[in-house]
Amino acid sequence: MTAPARSDAMPLATSLPNQVRSESYSFSAEDEGDTTAEAEGHRAAKADNWSELVLTDDEAAISCAALGLEGLLEKMNILLNTSYDLSPERQSLLKICSNLPDFGIAYSLLRPRWYMDPQSTIDNIHARCKEDGDIRKDVVYNDVLIKKYLRPRRLWDLWSNRVVPSWIAFAEPWDREDPFGQEAGQPPIFFAVSHAWLDETGRQSVNTLINGREWPVPIPAATNLEQIRADLLHHNRSYTWLDVLCLRQKSKEEQELVRKEEWTIDIPTIGGIYRATDNVVYYLSGLGLPFQVGDLNSSRHWLNRAWTLQEVKENWRSCVAGSPHLPDDTSGMAIDDPMRTLCDRMDALLSNNDDFRSLFEVIHQMAHRSATTDLDKIAGLNYLLDVETDWRANPNVISGMDRSLPTYVIGESVENAWWRCVNTLRVTHKSEIFFYFPAPGPRKEDMPKWCPSWKELSKCRDLLTYAHESSDRLRQCWPTACPCRVAVARIAGFSLAQSKAKDRREGNIKLQGAHEDWPVFHATANHGQSIEDGEYALLIPTGGRELDKLDHQGSSRCVIGYLRQDTKSGCTWFEKATIIDVHEDKGRWARVRITKRNLYLD
């Protein structure tokens, strides 16, 4: 995997351990050469004066080559209140830093390791560097991420004012099952920033040493990175994740291949960054700008952007930057008060943290939000629908836990990205599409015929209706699989030409092979999809408790279509036409005995 030019040039794979997680400064190893009392003195001094550990811009920009080994040692001794001499072991450590561009990066490398054995620090640098690269290389399989939680590629070290690889901040080996150390009860070592992106006319692009001038940093024209840093330092943590600095942005043409490669995994895992941290700072009016309620209908408002669906936290009120105290209870405010509208809409976003999210509901929310491209909407949708990952599942069979995060491909067609999303959806959400969306797919190459296009879904005005119909039933009935029965029936009476109400039609179903005394079942189609008279295959949810739950409203949802036998493989394929609701007749529908069959969905 191609790495950023500056970041991996040395290798910059240092790990800043737990002692800089907050304003309390503690030690992760014995203080080399110090007595216990002396080490405790350092600890107490740095806990009370952590702000003295923050470099100025001029200090960070000093050339390491100009400082030399003795100069590096002197500055570190002064900053961290030590009196180390230039021992052979410490010389070896400082020589690594002498090749770095400036003291800011060297400080990020040395600060957390300064109280550890130098040789152990050197070994850890190389181990963490290799570990980080191996994990990012192995996380992609067949264009999906087999892990949905990854540490961010970079973090902004506010104390050194340099963007550094994130493994600098994580001292311990990367636990693949718990990458952020949450299960171990460790507090997050970084916080994240969420902000509204201004229109291009209100932005400037800044070339800065903070990110080694690897790409121009887009920020509002009315602020600067120095002011943003000063604001963020008040949160008393040394690391933050800010997209404009930590996620590679557009730059020179020769760097676009690097951005494309990084975004493959960095974009899908952004949601995990916000979920992992306990603190998100919100700039609702633009990065670094004072808070204003603003135009709540603007496509640029934070509330109306696609990405922000995955960035809201329950404690958002206390984390809005540049604002007065926001009201905890808006019930006493005027109904048309913009502040009340803002707070109520922010609180409503928390429903996205529900364990079960209707696919239709999330698509509806995405469709009414703004993004640079629909690819961004689909990427955000992928994260909001995350569940347990199993990349081995067969996407053509509605069964099993088959959810993983698709990679992000710059320049990919929207419909191809949508199909790759569908390909990794869990069974519950595939069932939503299959049983509750009336139209079949566009029948394009490489797309399943049962799946509608992204354009058709995102433009549909009835998604919330479908979400209401499907969510309770699917939540109860199909946690992992959707067993079905198949019948062949004669269907009549649904023709659009015979119906006055195009969105609600009534017809009849006569099962083939049914006893003569069985009734002709009454059915309705609550949509405008064409159903001509004729013979169809019916895909019916299986009997038992599942069917009882489905029939609590007196009807059973069925998918009608056509069966096709593949002579070469022997498989039976089902091609969806549309959906209907079959209504009960004294419980006889539930007692219909039809042999279960294994089907593949065409």
Side-chain angles (χ1 to χ4, degrees):
M1 187 172 186
T2 304
R6 177 187 63 79
S7 302
D8 287 344
M10 50 88 38
L12 186 57
T14 165
S15 64
L16 297 180
N18 301 344
Q19 67 257 36
V20 290
R21 284 187 171 156
S22 68
E23 68 273 21
S24 60
Y25 197 93
S26 60
F27 293 79
S28 58
E30 289 296 326
D31 189 7
E32 180 194 61
D34 279 354
T35 65
T36 301
E38 290 171 331
E40 289 296 335
H42 291 312
R43 181 181 294 111
K46 298 311 173 186
D48 293 336
N49 302 292
W50 67 267
S51 61
E52 295 180 4
L53 299 171
V54 177
L55 299 183
T56 66
D57 287 343
D58 290 340
E59 287 177 316
I62 297 174
S63 166
C64 289
L67 281 174
L69 299 187
E70 292 185 356
L72 280 171
L73 178 63
E74 180 182 4
K75 289 196 70 66
M76 293 301 298
N77 275 335
I78 292 173
L79 282 164
L80 299 182
N81 196 26
T82 56
S83 55
Y84 298 141
D85 58 22
L86 201 58
S87 66
E89 294 81 6
R90 197 160 292 278
Q91 285 188 54
S92 298
L93 176 59
L94 293 175
K95 283 179 180 178
I96 295 177
C97 301
S98 65
N99 295 320
L100 294 174
D102 56 47
F103 181 65
I105 300 175
Y107 184 53
S108 290
L109 178 67
L110 293 174
R111 183 176 76 241
R113 306 293 186 183
W114 197 242
Y115 303 99
M116 298 174 63
D117 171 70
Q119 186 56 51
S120 298
T121 300
I122 294 172
D123 294 341
N124 192 274
I125 287 172
H126 294 286
R128 295 289 81 77
C129 178
K130 183 178 185 303
E131 176 185 69
D132 185 90
D134 289 346
I135 288 178
R136 296 188 193 281
K137 180 179 63 177
D138 296 339
V139 77
V140 178
Y141 182 89
N142 282 349
D143 295 328
V144 299
L145 304 180
I146 59 177
K147 292 292 181 185
K148 62 192 176 192
Y149 292 116
L150 287 178
R151 292 173 180 174
R153 186 182 300 273
R154 303 176 183 87
L155 290 171
W156 183 11
D157 184 349
L158 294 170
W159 289 6
S160 69
N161 202 20
R162 291 293 180 264
V163 174
V164 293
S166 69
W167 31 258
I168 286 178
F170 292 89
E172 300 302 320
W174 189 327
D175 185 340
R176 293 175 185 241
E177 302 303 320
D178 185 23
F180 296 100
Q182 292 174 308
E183 293 182 6
Q186 299 175 357
I189 66 173
F190 68 94
F191 65 95
V193 178
S194 175
H195 61 97
W197 280 69
L198 301 188
D199 186 85
E200 288 187 8
T201 58
R203 298 201 304 255
Q204 60 177 322
S205 294
V206 178
N207 287 305
T208 174
L209 286 173
I210 295 174
N211 71 338
R213 304 189 193 279
E214 286 197 36
W215 61 82
V217 180
I219 62 172
T223 189
N224 56 64
L225 288 169
E226 290 74 19
Q227 181 58 51
I228 294 170
R229 181 196 183 199
D231 289 344
L232 297 179
L233 279 169
H234 289 298
H235 292 271
N236 296 340
R237 287 186 189 169
S238 59
Y239 302 105
T240 189
W241 189 87
L242 173 60
D243 54 2
V244 295
L245 278 171
C246 301
L247 179 69
R248 184 177 291 275
Q249 304 295 309
K250 282 188 176 183
S251 58
K252 299 176 182 178
E253 186 65 32
E254 57 267 25
Q255 291 296 316
E256 281 301 281
L257 287 178
V258 180
R259 183 172 72 95
K260 183 176 182 179
E261 187 172 13
E262 290 185 2
W263 279 28
T264 298
I265 61 176
D266 291 358
I267 293 292
T269 52
I270 287 175
I273 295 173
Y274 286 94
R275 180 168 293 185
T277 183
D278 62 346
N279 188 21
V280 176
V281 176
Y282 299 94
Y283 286 98
L284 300 183
S285 304
L287 180 61
L289 300 183
F291 169 78
Q292 295 178 345
V293 173
D295 181 2
L296 297 178
N297 296 317
S298 169
S299 63
R300 286 287 172 180
H301 197 284
W302 188 96
L303 281 169
N304 300 321
R305 303 299 292 176
W307 285 117
T308 55
L309 277 173
Q310 62 186 3
E311 297 173 6
V312 67
K313 307 283 283 189
E314 289 189 5
N315 63 343
W316 68 268
R317 277 180 170 81
S318 61
C319 300
V320 175
S323 72
H325 177 71
L326 298 178
D328 294 327
D329 183 6
T330 60
S331 59
M333 302 174 68
I335 195 69
D336 58 349
D337 189 321
M339 179 65 80
R340 174 173 180 167
T341 303
L342 171 71
C343 293
D344 290 350
R345 287 180 60 184
M346 289 285 287
D347 288 336
L349 292 179
L350 295 173
S351 63
N352 289 303
N353 295 325
D354 187 11
D355 290 336
F356 181 91
R357 301 180 181 94
S358 164
L359 173 71
F360 296 139
E361 183 178 356
V362 177
I363 291 178
H364 172 80
Q365 291 190 46
M366 279 294 182
H368 289 80
R369 287 172 170 264
S370 300
T372 303
T373 70
D374 273 15
L375 288 179
D376 292 347
K377 294 184 180 183
I378 294 172
L381 179 78
N382 283 327
Y383 183 78
L384 291 170
L385 297 173
D386 68 63
V387 294
E388 293 300 321
T389 297
D390 184 358
W391 45 267
R392 295 162 294 187
N394 184 346
N396 291 318
V397 182
I398 295 188
S399 64
M401 298 301 289
D402 52 353
R403 179 63 177 151
S404 51
L405 287 176
T407 55
Y408 186 94
V409 180
I410 294 177
E412 182 180 27
S413 73
V414 172
E415 294 301 338
N416 192 65
W418 166 238
W419 165 229
R420 291 202 300 119
C421 171
V422 173
N423 197 17
T424 59
L425 288 177
R426 61 172 170 173
V427 58
T428 311
H429 293 124
K430 287 182 179 178
S431 298
E432 272 197 274
I433 297 174
F434 189 71
F435 283 96
Y436 289 91
F437 196 80
R443 290 171 172 76
K444 292 185 178 180
E445 186 179 357
D446 297 329
M447 288 283 288
K449 295 178 181 178
W450 57 267
C451 180
S453 68
W454 171 258
K455 181 179 179 180
E456 186 173 13
L457 267 177
S458 60
K459 299 295 183 183
C460 179
R461 293 177 294 178
D462 297 320
L463 285 181
L464 290 183
T465 300
Y466 302 149
H468 177 73
E469 290 178 351
S470 67
S471 59
D472 288 341
R473 294 181 176 188
L474 290 173
R475 188 195 300 266
Q476 299 176 59
C477 304
W478 289 304
T480 57
C482 182
C484 297
R485 299 172 295 163
V486 181
V488 178
R490 178 76 184 179
I491 297 179
F494 290 100
S495 174
L496 289 171
Q498 303 173 21
S499 176
K500 294 181 180 179
K502 305 300 183 184
D503 57 349
R504 179 176 172 81
R505 292 162 290 152
E506 298 184 2
N508 300 309
I509 294 179
K510 178 69 175 180
L511 295 175
Q512 280 194 1
H515 296 294
E516 292 184 1
D517 61 338
W518 282 9
V520 174
F521 290 100
H522 175 63
T524 56
N526 300 314
H527 53 77
Q529 194 68 21
S530 175
I531 308 175
E532 298 300 324
D533 294 354
E535 186 177 285
Y536 294 86
L538 272 67
L539 205 58
I540 309 167
T542 192
R545 287 185 298 174
E546 287 86 356
L547 186 61
D548 293 339
K549 292 173 182 175
L550 284 171
D551 288 344
H552 72 280
Q553 295 178 337
S555 65
S556 179
R557 173 59 50 88
C558 298
V559 182
I560 66 174
Y562 312 96
L563 295 178
R564 175 173 59 83
Q565 192 74 23
D566 189 326
T567 55
K568 292 184 179 180
S569 65
C571 298
T572 302
W573 291 83
F574 179 88
E575 181 179 330
K576 176 181 174 179
T578 188
I579 56 176
I580 58 174
D581 289 321
V582 180
H583 297 274
E584 276 287 4
D585 186 352
K586 300 178 181 180
R588 293 188 180 188
W589 177 255
R591 296 197 298 272
V592 171
R593 295 184 178 275
I594 304 172
T595 304
K596 298 180 182 179
R597 303 174 67 175
N598 293 322
L599 294 178
Y600 289 84
L601 304 181
D602 199 354

